Amino acid sequence: MAIRFSIILIISIFSFLAQAQIEVPDHIYFAGMKLNLSKSLRANMAAQIQMIQKYKTYFQAKVSLADMYFPIIERVFTEEDIPTDFKYLAIQESSLQSDVVSTSNAVGYWQFKKESATEVGVLVNGEVDERKHIVESSRGAARYLKKNYLVTTNWIYALIAYNTGLGGAKAFIKSKYVGTNEMDLDNDLHWYATKFLAHKLAYEDKVGYSNPELALLEFETETRGKSLSKLAKETDVAEDKILNYNKWALSGKVPEDKNSIVM
C-alpha cells in the first residue's frame, strides 16, 4: 500500500512539474516582425506567462472577455491600419474592464489620461468619457500607436512609447533596428514590451475557442439624444446589460450632437 501511494505521489509531482513548465520559443512573430529571444529573456517571459495563467478561473474569465471584445478591436485596428497583434495590450492595460482607473488617473480599456485621450480624438467631458467606450478608445489607441510608429518605424519601439512617451522611448531605441522587420531581443528590452509579449504568448492560443455568455453588437441607428433605458427597450436588451457595457455615457444618455455607437 505504501509503495502504491509513493508511485501515485511521484506521478502527481511529475504531472505538476510538466504542467508548470512553460516553453517559450527562441523566436516569435509580432506585427510582421521576427523577434529572436535570448535564453534569459525567454526565462523571464516564461515566468511571467506562468503568473498570468496561474489562477485558472480568473485567466479563463479574461479569455471569455477577449472573445467578446477582440472582434471589435480587430475591426477598428484594421480600419486604422495597425497590426491586430496589439489587441493583447488591452488585456495588459485594463483586463478589458471599461472603468479601471490607475493610480496616475489613467482610465478605461486602454488607460488614457485625459490629455492623451483628447490628443487622439477620444472625447472626455461632462457627458461622455469615451476612454470607457470600446470602439472609440480602441480607435484612439490605434492612432496613438501609429503616431509612435511614424517616428520610430518599429512596432516594438512604438509599443514602448505607448508607456513611456516618445521622449522616454529614446533610451531604448537602437538605430540598427529602426525600420527593420527582425530584432534580436535580450533582457535589456523595456519591461513593458517584455510584459506585452508575455501576454501575447499567454493568450494567443487560448482566445477564439470559448463560448462567451454575451456577444457585443454595435448599435448606431438613431441613438442621438436617447437614454440608455429607451435604447434597451428599442433593442430588446436587458437594461442592466446596456448600462454595464456603456459606462462611457456618464448621464445614462447619448449626447445630442451625434449618433454614438451603443454596445
Side-chain angles (χ1 to χ4, degrees), residues 1-16:
M1 189 70 175
I3 294 172
R4 183 182 175 188
F5 176 77
S6 298
I7 292 171
I8 291 171
L9 181 61
I10 291 168
I11 291 172
S12 298
I13 290 170
F14 274 106
S15 176
F16 172 77

Side-chain angles (χ1 to χ4, degrees), residues 19-34:
Q19 185 179 22
Q21 189 175 6
I22 291 172
E23 295 289 338
V24 174
D26 59 7
H27 67 269
I28 61 174
Y29 293 90
F30 159 68
M33 302 176 67
K34 182 181 179 182

